[in-house]
Amino acid sequence: MARLAQFFDRMLGTVAEETKSEVGASDTQGVLDETVPTVAEPVSSETDIQEDDTMKAVETITSSATQTRFVFVHFMVGNTYPYSIQDWLDDIKLASSYLIDGFVLNVGQEDWQRDRVRDCFAAAAQLPSTTRFWFIFSFDMTSIPGNAASNVSYLTAYYQAHSGDARMFKHPRTGGATVSTFSGENCTFGQGSMENGWAYVKGVLNAITPAYFIPSFFIDPSRYNGISAMDGAFNWNGGWPIQLNAGSSRSDLVNAALNQDNAYLQNLTGGRTFMAACSPWFFTHYGPNTWNKNWIYRGDDHLFVRRWQQLISMRNQIDIVQVISWNDYGESHYIGPIKGAQPNSQAWVDGYPHDAWLALNSYFAAAFKKGVYAPVTKDQIFMWARPHPKNANAPESVPRPTNWQITDDKIWAVVFTTAPATVELYTTATHKVSFNVPAGMTKLSRDSEPDGGMMGTIVRNGAVVAECNPIGYRYESRPGVYNFNAAVAMS
């Protein structure tokens, strides 16, 4: 206990007057959300999973022809203005080491983005030929114009240069070079309708290299059968409970339904591909003088893990999972390192790395690819929480985000245990919640405490076998800005 007290003294400073917590040192209140027992059989064949000191999963390289399930991550090229080839190589190697199969490169109309993409492919050319890592273009049609036939040149500028590259993802169904979009449902390319417009685009791309088109159109999926260009669809919003708002009932909020995929699957006939979205969080905070985006989606109830479990359970209907995102700092769902050029999001991103989510993601990515969860061979804790109470006041001009009411003031934890153990979640050295957990993966939560921190331990036979200490984290009662991002840490 002395060691814990020293930790919190360093992190929080001396507290003038100690107040009694709702949860004391001997209390066992809290929420044990779900336990997934340890798996008897390891992942085998195509993917061998091992656990090292950061729970990094290592994938054995085999022919891509044998792989039928893929995990990509959305990558904002618009945030890479200062990137060098080495920056790209570092990101590619990092992503690959955590079982990411490739980047979905979100590209816009700016000339410099084509230069960064060229650097990206140059970096990938340095990889061993046995490394499985590919790229998909996601044409951002909120940036690229799509009214005139000539606008297709923005797309062919990328496609002509790289579609034949070995690192361009060729979908196993047809071998076509895979491309996607963000939006595009209002683009006609001078052909009179959206349906004709994208058929025209598909024809232009096919003349260069046969294309495989999996767009994210924000339309009723019942229209899919009338869009001949589509080889599949990506449900961009599927990873968040976007139906929630400040008027939602408590029963609708807790473990909110994630059921948007059903309409997509029902309308993707003829063997067309479904690409599913998975995301850990969503918070954006731009005022009307910039992008005028200021809202949250509920990321509570271990959303990232719940969504992955859902996708793994329905993996026979899904070819690709696209994790949102690697580096979209403006929307707070990045799982890659904080680097490059942020889109004026420093106020809520700097100091809040999400690297632990990347490590956590690899466990589920492996299970999605193989259809079985790897056995837990290392005791480990993952924890995350917001920086301040949801109803705290901050002295800034941009108000609290829309739907701020729908989140809970809690610490969320996911623990992996090799054998039964006691998990202790702290907000101060003397305010803890204890849980007895079996072997396997367990989802836990407890209330946050204003001006407290967060810390977690796994204790077995009286000894601490894992400890998560995000030094510097403080749940601020009087924040300087509204920040509904997450502080994420792991042991």
Side-chain angles (χ1 to χ4, degrees):
M1 184 58 69
R3 179 168 56 87
L4 294 177
Q6 291 171 2
F7 167 77
F8 281 102
D9 282 345
R10 290 197 310 270
M11 184 174 66
L12 303 176
T14 302
V15 179
E17 181 177 356
E18 183 69 28
T19 59
K20 185 176 181 180
S21 170
E22 294 179 2
V23 182
S26 62
D27 291 333
T28 56
Q29 300 173 19
V31 179
L32 191 156
D33 295 279
E34 184 184 7
T35 297
V36 177
T38 187
V39 176
E41 295 297 325
V43 173
S44 59
S45 183
E46 173 192 329
T47 305
D48 294 328
I49 302 301
Q50 305 168 355
E51 306 294 344
D52 66 12
D53 288 343
T54 60
M55 196 185 158
K56 183 187 298 183
V58 179
E59 188 169 20
T60 300
I61 303 302
T62 62
S63 169
S64 61
T66 66
Q67 188 170 343
T68 59
R69 299 291 182 272
F70 302 87
V71 177
F72 281 74
V73 63
H74 198 77
F75 193 108
M76 300 294 292
V77 176
N79 292 339
T80 65
Y81 185 81
Y83 260 45
S84 65
I85 290 177
Q86 187 61 49
D87 287 320
W88 280 109
L89 187 59
D90 291 345
D91 280 6
I92 291 168
K93 287 182 175 180
L94 179 63
S96 180
S97 74
Y98 284 100
L99 295 189
I100 301 296
D101 292 308
F103 291 152
V104 178
L105 299 172
N106 178 291
V107 292
Q109 64 172 304
E110 294 86 358
D111 291 344
W112 68 263
Q113 290 197 35
R114 292 194 288 275
D115 295 336
R116 293 295 83 75
V117 168
R118 186 162 47 249
D119 291 343
C120 171
F121 277 87
Q126 299 182 33
L127 297 172
S129 60
T130 52
T131 299
R132 293 186 294 186
F133 201 87
W134 303 283
F135 304 108
I136 295 172
F137 286 128
S138 175
F139 300 118
D140 192 331
M141 303 312 297
T142 65
S143 167
I144 298 171
N147 294 323
S150 60
N151 293 149
V152 74
S153 64
Y154 289 102
L155 282 57
T156 57
Y158 292 102
Y159 197 76
Q160 180 82 53
H162 304 292
S163 61
D165 194 288
R167 293 294 171 183
M168 191 76 181
F169 181 65
K170 310 301 193 300
H171 196 281
R173 181 169 167 242
T174 67
T178 307
V179 294
S180 184
T181 70
F182 178 78
S183 192
E185 63 276 2
N186 296 316
C187 297
T188 64
F189 293 95
Q191 308 305 306
S193 70
M194 182 269 275
E195 291 82 356
N196 291 339
W198 285 105
Y200 163 73
V201 169
K202 180 80 172 294
V204 172
L205 298 182
N206 281 339
I208 300 169
T209 300
Y212 197 84
F213 188 42
I214 315 175
S216 177
F217 293 149
F218 299 101
I219 59 174
D220 187 328
S222 65
R223 294 178 59 185
Y224 288 168
N225 286 334
I227 308 173
S228 62
M230 291 178 61
D231 296 297
F234 173 42
N235 182 11
W236 174 272
N237 283 324
W240 303 293
I242 64 171
Q243 74 276 11
L244 302 178
N245 56 56
S248 297
S249 68
R250 185 65 188 169
S251 61
D252 286 338
L253 289 175
V254 177
N255 292 321
L258 298 169
N259 53 17
Q260 298 178 53
D261 296 332
N262 295 336
Y264 285 72
L265 292 166
Q266 291 167 6
N267 287 282
L268 286 172
T269 57
R272 289 189 289 180
T273 293
F274 177 58
M275 180 158 57
C278 187
S279 187
W281 208 252
F282 190 104
F283 162 61
T284 186
H285 193 54
Y286 295 103
N289 60 329
T290 56
W291 284 287
N292 198 25
K293 295 171 52 178
N294 186 28
W295 73 87
I296 70 167
Y297 296 136
R298 182 176 167 92
D300 301 42
D301 312 302
H302 310 91
L303 174 68
F304 199 25
V305 175
R306 280 203 307 123
R307 176 60 168 168
W308 260 123
Q309 290 175 313
Q310 179 188 40
L311 297 178
I312 291 166
S313 72
M314 54 190 288
R315 65 185 294 273
N316 290 340
Q317 299 173 279
I318 303 168
D319 292 349
I320 303 169
V321 170
Q322 184 177 159
V323 179
I324 304 173
S325 65
W326 182 262
N327 66 336
D328 193 338
Y329 311 114
E331 295 183 353
S332 306
H333 41 55
Y334 51 94
I335 65 171
I338 300 171
K339 59 187 287 190
Q342 288 192 50
N344 296 320
S345 54
Q346 291 88 335
W348 62 89
V349 169
D350 286 356
Y352 294 93
H354 291 175
D355 306 61
W357 274 338
L358 176 61
L360 182 61
N361 185 79
S362 69
Y363 180 77
F364 298 100
F368 173 73
K369 294 180 190 183
K370 291 306 301 175
V372 62
Y373 290 94
V376 176
T377 60
K378 177 181 174 63
D379 294 302
Q380 193 153 26
I381 310 173
F382 295 83
M383 301 177 70
W384 57 93
R386 289 183 291 98
H388 62 74
K390 64 182 180 181
N391 61 356
N393 293 310
E396 68 159 316
S397 59
V398 182
R400 289 191 195 99
T402 299
N403 290 330
W404 64 269
Q405 302 94 330
I406 68 175
T407 187
D408 294 336
D409 293 330
K410 287 185 177 292
I411 295 169
W412 306 98
V414 176
V415 296
F416 292 83
T417 43
T418 59
T422 298
V423 176
E424 299 172 336
L425 302 182
Y426 293 83
T427 54
T428 72
T430 57
H431 300 162
K432 74 176 180 181
V433 181
S434 297
F435 306 84
N436 293 320
V437 303
M441 184 194 76
T442 306
K443 295 181 288 187
L444 305 169
S445 65
R446 63 151 297 166
D447 290 343
S448 297
E449 182 178 346
D451 298 318
M454 67 173 168
M455 179 177 176
T457 61
I458 299 175
V459 181
R460 185 179 299 113
N461 299 324
V464 175
V465 296
E467 184 175 87
C468 182
N469 291 345
I471 296 176
Y473 171 78
R474 178 185 173 100
Y475 194 64
E476 297 283 353
S477 62
R478 294 185 293 178
V481 296
Y482 291 117
N483 189 349
F484 285 68
N485 194 1
V488 188
M490 68 182 182
S491 58

